[in-house]
Amino acid sequence: MKDLTLTVQGMSCGHCVSSVEGALNQLDGISEVNVNLGEGKVDVKYDEAKVSVEQIKEAIDEQGYDVVA
Amino acid sequence: MKDLTLTVQGMSCGHCVSSVEGALNQLDGISEVNVNLGEGKVDVKYDEAKVSVEQIKEAIDEQGYDVVA
């Protein structure tokens, strides 16, 4: 398992948190997701054999948010 | 049909707009809903024989937003 923290712009409320968490939890290989709305941070614990950082970023992007770092 | 414009605090994104619009459209007697996210305004066209202003405000409140005027 690896840890990843992404900086994500555009998340503004609980619905946004739910949509990001929901999208990431649907990916295979994700074991934990934590979104810090105030800081605009998304923490993910993932299995690098099953899912790539690129796929994680893409899932967030598809929900309409910008992964900036 | 009557027109009503409410000032609503806490709506921050498209999900919020959808949840307010969805809740109001489920009420009987509502014929039109428009949410202006930037101004925090909710415009409703409603049949006062079927639904009260109180019920409209309550539906918004139940979605987690404050009707302030």
Side-chain angles (χ1 to χ4, degrees), chain B residues 51-65:
Chain B
V51 65
S52 69
V53 172
E54 216 39 61
Q55 285 173 304
I56 293 169
K57 288 182 176 178
E58 201 175 301
I60 296 172
D61 186 73
E62 278 171 3
Q63 295 303 310
Y65 305 104

Side-chain angles (χ1 to χ4, degrees), chain A:
Chain A
M1 284 296 158
K2 287 195 77 173
D3 287 309
L4 172 71
T5 298
L6 297 168
T7 302
V8 177
Q9 278 182 346
M11 301 183 300
S12 60
C13 71
H15 298 116
C16 299
V17 172
S18 298
S19 71
V20 168
E21 286 180 345
L24 293 178
N25 281 321
Q26 280 193 328
L27 291 179
D28 194 35
I30 301 280
S31 64
E32 203 177 318
V33 180
N34 281 300
V35 177
N36 184 317
L37 186 58
E39 294 181 4
K41 300 281 186 190
V42 177
D43 291 316
V44 181
K45 217 180 271 296
Y46 69 105
D47 181 345
E48 57 186 331
K50 291 187 179 168
V51 65
S52 68
V53 172
E54 217 37 63
Q55 285 173 304
I56 292 169
K57 288 182 176 178
E58 200 175 300
I60 296 172
D61 186 72
E62 278 170 4
Q63 295 302 312
Y65 305 103
D66 291 327
V67 180
V68 294

Side-chain angles (χ1 to χ4, degrees), chain B residues 6-26:
Chain B
L6 297 168
T7 301
V8 178
Q9 278 181 347
M11 300 184 300
S12 61
C13 71
H15 298 116
C16 298
V17 173
S18 298
S19 71
V20 169
E21 286 180 344
L24 293 178
N25 282 321
Q26 279 191 330

Side-chain angles (χ1 to χ4, degrees), chain B residues 23-60:
Chain B
L24 293 178
N25 282 321
Q26 279 191 330
L27 291 179
D28 196 35
I30 301 281
S31 63
E32 204 177 319
V33 180
N34 280 300
V35 177
N36 185 318
L37 186 57
E39 294 181 5
K41 299 282 184 188
V42 177
D43 291 315
V44 181
K45 217 180 271 295
Y46 69 104
D47 181 345
E48 58 187 328
K50 292 187 179 169
V51 65
S52 69
V53 172
E54 216 39 61
Q55 285 173 304
I56 293 169
K57 288 182 176 178
E58 201 175 301
I60 296 172

